[in-house]
Amino acid sequence: IERPADYIQIAKNILESYPLSLEHGIQKDAIQNGWDACIKKTQNYVKNNWKFEFELVERPDLKMLIMSDFGTHGLSGKMTAKDVTEDENPPEEERWARWESLAFGKGDEENLGARGQGKMIFIAASKDHAIFYDSLREDGSYRMGVTQATHKGCPILHYNEDNGRKKIEECLGLKAIDHQGTRVIIRNPEEEVIESIKNGDFLHFIEETWWPIIIKFGAEINIKYGGNILRANSPDLFPITKKTEETKTFKIWC
């Protein structure tokens, strides 16, 4: 018998460990996941293939924050969380199982988000404590999953191929992801998250956090809502670096 755990409180506790706001933590961890999954971190590849997109959807029956990466491996691997054993962590290539699990590092501690707790802030951002996710993987296979935190656990469900495509349309009214990569959907996001997207704070947080990859690699990060598409740029906070290329004596780290 597993010991019951209050995953709603766990999500809140993890949120409190973030130094800034809920909205800041969402953009930071979402883009970290997408950036860590980038197939090639070269300027040419990133500029022409990698992209990250936030989309706020507001329907009469449902609100969603949809977070999608492009030009990534996707949540590849045969394993799911139920296949994780007590004796060993999932291998690096088992990205799906590692995503569903909690607190497994990414091996390379220089990788951002190495604690594997980012998904919990997405759960904390949902009024329903629920997230959906789907992925079109490197081998062309499709998988969809959903998890909802409760006061006694955090059940995980997943569906493959056509079953997954039907399930995500049934639950959210969305078609399956149509490009190689991963999509995470926060169902019924908290009002402060919605407001930060509409008043520009969310875009500002992205720019102040991710200006190094915007400058160095030409990374594209967009926010979509209400027919608008806003692209993150290097903020004026960094006027020296805004239009500066790397040289032998000037370097940009990220």
Side-chain angles (χ1 to χ4, degrees), residues 177-226:
I177 188 172
D178 61 1
H179 63 271
Q180 183 176 311
T182 300
R183 179 175 62 173
V184 179
I185 301 110
I186 299 174
R187 188 176 72 185
N188 287 323
E190 294 284 355
E191 291 303 321
E192 63 198 271
V193 177
I194 295 173
E195 181 61 25
S196 73
I197 290 173
K198 293 182 176 180
N199 67 20
D201 285 348
F202 201 88
L203 181 65
H204 172 72
F205 293 149
I206 293 171
E207 291 177 337
E208 72 173 16
T209 306
W210 294 101
W211 65 268
I213 68 170
I214 292 171
I215 293 175
K216 185 171 183 177
F217 296 96
E220 181 177 346
I221 305 171
N222 296 325
I223 300 174
K224 297 171 64 175
Y225 75 95

Side-chain angles (χ1 to χ4, degrees), residues 43-208:
Q43 187 179 67
N44 184 62
Y45 182 84
V46 172
K47 190 173 183 179
N48 293 293
N49 298 279
W50 187 88
K51 181 172 69 169
F52 200 95
E53 182 176 279
F54 296 90
E55 182 178 7
L56 176 63
V57 175
E58 295 183 284
R59 301 197 312 239
D61 61 324
L62 183 65
K63 295 180 181 180
M64 296 176 283
L65 179 58
I66 303 171
M67 306 176 288
S68 307
D69 62 45
F70 299 72
T72 65
H73 295 283
L75 292 176
S76 56
K78 296 180 180 180
M79 297 173 63
T80 64
K82 67 180 178 60
D83 301 311
V84 177
T85 67
E86 184 177 352
D87 299 326
E88 60 179 354
N89 291 348
E92 292 294 318
E93 62 272 16
E94 293 290 343
R95 295 181 176 87
W96 184 278
R98 297 179 74 85
W99 158 258
E100 287 189 324
S101 304
L102 176 63
F104 286 126
K106 295 183 179 178
D108 180 1
E109 291 304 318
E110 293 184 359
N111 267 346
L112 300 173
R115 292 176 296 171
Q117 296 182 346
K119 67 188 73 63
M120 298 307 292
I121 197 172
F122 305 149
I123 290 173
S126 166
K127 292 179 181 178
D128 305 328
H129 312 296
I131 59 171
F132 293 73
Y133 41 98
D134 65 348
S135 186
L136 189 60
R137 290 102 68 81
E138 290 173 298
D139 61 1
S141 64
Y142 173 82
R143 183 179 282 169
M144 171 265 184
V146 57
T147 186
Q148 184 168 20
T150 72
H151 289 297
K152 291 187 177 181
C154 196
I156 298 169
L157 301 174
H158 37 254
Y159 307 86
N160 293 325
E161 303 300 353
D162 287 347
N163 287 336
R165 294 182 176 93
K166 291 176 183 177
K167 183 59 69 172
I168 200 161
E169 187 162 8
E170 175 186 306
C171 293
L172 300 176
L174 296 175
K175 296 292 185 182
I177 188 172
D178 61 1
H179 63 271
Q180 183 176 311
T182 300
R183 179 175 62 173
V184 179
I185 301 110
I186 299 174
R187 188 176 72 185
N188 287 323
E190 294 284 355
E191 291 303 321
E192 63 198 271
V193 177
I194 295 173
E195 181 61 25
S196 73
I197 290 173
K198 293 182 176 180
N199 67 20
D201 285 348
F202 201 88
L203 181 65
H204 172 72
F205 293 149
I206 293 171
E207 291 177 337
E208 72 173 16

